């Protein structure tokens, strides 16, 4: 069975991906800053059954995560690297609806922009660099993106740090798809859809806004990862609300 490395697994999409992949018998290395969710303070990842190895202390915002990842995965052949760790603010300091006005045109600070870029755009690059020796021909790299990272789809403005950093993450994924095709490694950027997790404004707010269950979204993500090949490398895709087969993101990059 394939071996996955997934970042950001203490909650949300990362946690659910671990559950679904482990349930079907895959080997999962689940990385996180700490096992307890920053949103709830509860350790959920330790309860996941199956062949799951938790790698704690991995903060993709800082360069020392590379040495930690390399040490934890030394000698392990990685079939799929899933760069999932991300956030709206680049920090867990803000809660609730504050995530939106904090990134408005007149108030979004340079510090907020820089933090978001370190997490959402540089984070996936750090993870690849750390685990490049573990990847080989046939491996895959998946960057969990968002529809808000699409320049063509931005019709409402706002959320400057999040939108910009995720657009940059898309560019990182696209660049990797070109460079890694020479090594027979396929790369995908994929938007999971509007998912109900503790991410951003939290589960209650997202439910009110019409978010879809994380189980459906992750089922679609798993299908897309399974279907990724060198022939489809470099695509920017999205998961439909019903968790069915992912499609190319409509408005484009």
């Amino acid at each position: 069975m394939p071996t996955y490395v997934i970042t950001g697994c203490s909650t949300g999409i990362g946690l659910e991906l671990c559950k679904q992949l482990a349930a079907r018998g895959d080997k999962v290395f689940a990385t996180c800053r700490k096992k307890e969710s920053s949103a709830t303070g509860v350790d959920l990842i330790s309860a996941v059954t199956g062949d799951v190895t938790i790698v704690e202390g991995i903060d993709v915002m800082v360069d020392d995560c590379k040495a930690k990842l390399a040490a934890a995965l030394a000698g392990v052949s990685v079939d799929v690297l899933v760069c999932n760790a991300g956030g709206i603010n680049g920090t867990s300091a803000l809660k609730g609806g504050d995530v939106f006005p904090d990134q408005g045109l007149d108030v979004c600070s340079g510090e907020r922009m820089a933090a978001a870029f370190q997490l959402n755009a540089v984070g996936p690059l750090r993870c690849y660099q750390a685990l490049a020796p573990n990847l080989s021909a046939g491996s895959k790299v998946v960057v969990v993106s968002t529809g808000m990272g699409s320049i063509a789809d931005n019709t409402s403005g706002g959320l400057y740090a999040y939108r910009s950093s995720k657009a940059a993450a898309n560019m990182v994924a696209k660049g990797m798809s070109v460079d890694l095709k020479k090594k027979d490694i396929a790369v995908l950027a994929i938007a999971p859809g509007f998912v109900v997790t503790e991410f951003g404004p939290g589960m209650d707010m997202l439910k009110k806004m019409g978010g879809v269950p994380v189980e459906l979204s992750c089922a679609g993500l798993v299908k897309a990862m399974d279907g990724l090949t060198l022939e489809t490398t470099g695509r920017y895709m999205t998961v439909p609300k019903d968790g069915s087969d992912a499609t190319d993101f409509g408005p484009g990059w």
Side-chain angles (χ1 to χ4, degrees):
M1 301 303 290
T3 296
Y4 286 76
V5 175
I6 306 172
T7 64
C9 293
S10 64
T11 189
I13 289 171
L15 176 65
E16 181 61 26
L17 284 175
C18 289
K19 291 178 181 179
Q20 293 192 18
L21 292 168
R24 69 179 193 177
D26 296 338
K27 168 68 177 174
V28 180
F29 286 87
T31 86
C32 53
R33 288 176 295 178
K34 55 183 181 179
K35 290 184 285 187
E36 296 79 15
S37 163
S38 60
T40 65
V42 178
D43 175 8
L44 297 174
I45 187 63
S46 294
V48 178
T49 58
D51 193 355
V52 178
T53 300
I54 301 170
V55 183
E56 208 172 1
I58 303 299
D59 184 350
V60 303
M61 290 185 70
V62 292
D63 281 338
D64 72 0
C65 77
K66 293 194 287 186
K68 292 178 180 179
L69 273 174
L73 276 295
V76 175
S77 295
V78 175
D79 296 295
V80 187
L81 168 61
V82 184
C83 301
N84 165 71
I88 283 185
N89 295 294
T91 175
S92 58
L94 297 179
K95 300 292 183 184
D98 288 344
V99 300
F100 298 110
D102 180 73
Q103 294 190 38
L105 176 60
D106 297 321
V107 297
C108 191
S109 67
E111 290 79 9
R112 179 66 65 225
M113 292 287 287
F117 269 78
Q118 286 292 341
L119 176 56
N120 295 325
V122 188
L125 190 61
R126 289 187 177 105
C127 293
Y128 165 73
Q129 291 170 343
L131 298 178
N134 304 75
L135 302 170
S136 58
S139 294
K140 305 174 185 181
V141 178
V142 177
V143 176
V144 177
S145 184
T146 173
M148 288 189 176
S150 167
I151 293 174
D153 195 48
N154 185 357
T155 59
S156 58
L159 282 174
Y160 279 81
Y162 184 57
R163 288 183 185 278
S164 300
S165 62
K166 281 296 192 176
N170 285 346
M171 183 60 81
V172 169
K174 181 64 175 179
M176 284 197 292
S177 74
V178 175
D179 288 328
L180 294 181
K181 191 170 186 179
K182 306 164 190 173
K183 298 182 178 181
D184 293 333
I185 296 173
V187 183
L188 171 70
I190 187 164
F194 194 49
V195 189
V196 176
T197 68
E198 290 292 349
F199 182 81
M203 293 181 72
D204 290 341
M205 178 70 73
L206 289 170
K207 286 178 182 177
K208 292 178 182 177
M209 296 168 70
V212 300
V214 67
E215 295 85 359
L216 280 179
S217 173
C218 286
L221 286 172
V222 170
K223 288 180 185 177
M225 291 190 293
D226 287 347
L228 176 61
T229 67
L230 277 180
E231 286 68 40
T232 58
T233 191
R235 294 172 73 180
Y236 174 32
M237 304 184 76
T238 188
V239 178
K241 285 188 176 182
D242 61 1
S244 57
D245 294 347
T247 58
D248 286 325
F249 194 84
W253 297 85

